[in-house]
Amino acid sequence: MPQGYSPARGLFASVVLAALTLGIFSQSELKGPEGTIHRYFLAIQRRDARAAANLVVGPEAEFYKWSSVFSGFFQSGARYQIVDVRRSGSLARAGIIFRSPDGQELPLIISLRRVGRQWLLDLRGLGLPMPTS
């Protein structure tokens, strides 16, 4: 065994490195368009309309309409998955799939706009993807 080495030091270093790595990845997941989507849906699930509204740009009527729809999805036990994000300058589009507890899937496309340093959902650009065949 090398001089100055102890199993306790190695274990401690491993734990510190793992915590640092997890901290960096958890912070990076909340940045960019994906992070805005996660924070918006988390606010909807928590019924925090003010937090959700701070992540949206566009008409108030669209915010209430879509927030109510998403709230209904979550109340029925649905989960979501972000499957694709495409950025072009200060605009982005994200593909999302909602899955109900019985396995039904609803794909959606959400538009986002960068305002300053923050990404915001533009619910006016929300839509269903068109069939490709």
Side-chain angles (χ1 to χ4, degrees):
M1 208 179 278
Q3 189 174 356
Y5 174 81
S6 77
R9 280 187 183 171
L11 181 61
F12 177 73
S14 296
V15 168
V16 168
L17 183 58
L20 181 62
T21 302
L22 289 174
I24 289 170
F25 281 118
S26 69
Q27 287 298 318
S28 67
E29 181 151 326
L30 294 179
K31 299 216 182 282
E34 300 92 337
T36 298
I37 294 166
H38 287 304
R39 287 192 306 276
Y40 171 75
F41 285 147
L42 183 61
I44 295 297
Q45 290 171 348
R46 291 181 177 168
R47 299 174 196 247
D48 186 347
R50 179 171 288 162
N54 288 335
L55 298 168
V56 173
V57 64
E60 194 173 295
E62 291 293 309
F63 167 73
Y64 286 116
K65 176 179 81 175
W66 285 109
S67 295
S68 176
V69 168
F70 294 139
S71 179
F73 287 170
F74 292 125
Q75 288 175 9
S76 71
R79 302 279 181 224
Y80 73 94
Q81 177 183 2
I82 299 172
V83 294
D84 188 32
V85 176
R86 308 256 171 135
R87 294 185 195 190
S88 178
S90 63
L91 300 176
R93 293 176 69 81
I96 298 172
I97 296 177
F98 275 91
R99 288 187 181 89
S100 67
D102 64 0
Q104 293 184 15
E105 294 183 346
L106 175 65
L108 296 171
I109 298 173
I110 294 182
S111 295
L112 296 101
R113 184 182 319 163
R114 190 174 183 142
V115 178
R117 298 183 65 188
Q118 183 179 15
W119 285 96
L120 300 173
L121 278 78
D122 186 350
L123 297 178
R124 291 174 294 190
L126 190 117
L128 298 170
M130 298 299 292
T132 57
S133 55

